Amino acid sequence: MSPTPTVDLNCDMGESFGAWTLGNDAALMPFITSANVACGFHAGDPAVMKATVRAALQHSVAIGAHPGLPDLAGFGRRNMDISPEEAFDLTVYQLGALQAVVKAEGGQLHHLKPHGALYNMAATNAALATAIAEAVYQVQPELLLYGLASSELTRAGEKLGLRTAHEVFADRTYQANGTLTPRRQPDALITEARVAIAQVLRMVQSGLVRTQQGQDVAIRADTVCLHGDGAHALEFAQQLNQELRAAGVRLQAGAPATAQ
């Protein structure tokens, strides 16, 4: 009997700040299985963090810390020349902040996923990846570490003995080396829902993705990232959730793509 494909649907959340609102977190919660909550450096603030954690708990959505670079103006999407020690420190700081909020609300932290530029830098920079993985290991080693599939970050986590979730993206295009097409390029985003859903189904069911160079490359899809700040984010989340279930894919937080 062939295994039932299983995948996690994660979404970056809690990215409002003060008087500014971004995304539609409350409406998206029923259609995802894990939430990555901004910890105040690239977005989020104490009140937003608390509200997001409460909403996740109400919907039985797994909660993860989403640390970013200290760049509110750039939303954490601009590279910064940080050292491994700085990467360790900012990860510990932000993980600790969300860890406290989750505990105060009676929940349990499930994972950590870096945000934006920090995520992409750690995907290719082994020293930064190791620093982030060590921060998780020293603060709460039972957490899952979410990282770009088959990247330096997942390798660093696995080397330390952390559980990892190899992440793929519904609305991003890929390069031949398995990295995401940089956002500054015009072909970085997939804007048609049917194309994005077809890409996700193929990654989850066949372990393959078509790159911008026209090649199929192998990819491990434990968790799929949805972006909650798009104009049609809610409709897309609903549709992807329905299409995966209709295809016989089980949705579960942090689960491997080939779980029995």
Side-chain angles (χ1 to χ4, degrees):
M1 186 175 180
S2 60
T4 300
T6 303
V7 76
D8 169 46
L9 291 183
N10 79 76
C11 187
D12 300 346
M13 292 187 157
E15 293 182 321
S16 299
F17 180 77
W20 305 101
T21 300
L22 181 69
N24 193 357
D25 293 357
L28 282 164
M29 285 289 181
F31 305 105
I32 63 172
T33 51
S34 66
N36 319 306
V37 183
C39 304
F41 273 32
H42 76 277
D45 60 34
V48 171
M49 291 164 68
K50 180 175 70 174
T52 308
V53 166
R54 285 183 175 177
L57 291 173
Q58 289 170 2
H59 291 277
S60 299
V61 169
I63 301 166
H66 195 42
L69 295 172
D71 181 21
L72 281 173
F75 196 61
R77 286 180 174 165
R78 301 181 293 191
N79 285 7
M80 296 177 68
D81 186 14
I82 63 171
S83 68
E85 183 177 8
E86 288 171 317
F88 177 91
D89 292 344
L90 66 84
T91 301
V92 169
Y93 186 98
Q94 293 175 83
L95 172 56
L98 189 69
Q99 188 183 52
V101 174
V102 173
K103 183 176 181 180
E105 293 301 316
Q108 290 186 331
L109 203 58
H110 174 262
H111 66 275
L112 179 140
K113 172 189 164 181
H115 167 80
L118 182 62
Y119 178 99
N120 290 324
M121 291 158 59
T124 59
N125 185 315
L128 291 181
T130 298
I132 293 169
E134 286 182 343
V136 175
Y137 184 79
Q138 292 191 29
V139 174
Q140 195 172 344
E142 67 272 20
L143 295 181
L144 273 79
L145 177 61
Y146 284 27
L148 186 68
S150 301
S151 66
E152 291 293 346
L153 185 57
T154 53
R155 280 190 283 272
E158 288 159 2
K159 187 175 181 179
L160 280 173
L162 294 172
R163 294 182 301 145
T164 62
H166 290 243
E167 183 178 42
V168 299
F169 286 75
D171 62 353
R172 297 290 299 276
T173 62
Y174 281 81
Q175 296 298 296
N177 64 356
T179 62
L180 300 174
T181 304
R183 282 182 175 271
R184 64 180 176 272
Q185 295 186 18
D187 56 355
L189 298 178
I190 299 173
T191 57
E192 292 185 59
R194 63 175 183 82
V195 176
I197 290 171
Q199 174 168 286
V200 170
L201 285 169
R202 190 160 186 252
M203 290 190 290
V204 172
Q205 295 176 318
S206 303
L208 294 170
V209 65
R210 178 64 57 90
T211 69
Q212 289 299 92
Q213 291 74 32
Q215 304 166 323
D216 283 339
V217 298
I219 197 162
R220 176 175 161 184
D222 295 334
T223 183
V224 179
C225 178
L226 307 177
H227 287 111
D229 56 350
H232 306 288
L234 178 57
E235 293 86 348
F236 179 71
Q238 292 174 308
Q239 189 176 354
L240 179 59
N241 184 299
Q242 292 167 359
E243 293 283 351
L244 285 167
R245 292 182 187 278
V249 177
R250 184 169 55 199
L251 303 183
Q252 181 177 315
T258 56
Q260 296 288 339

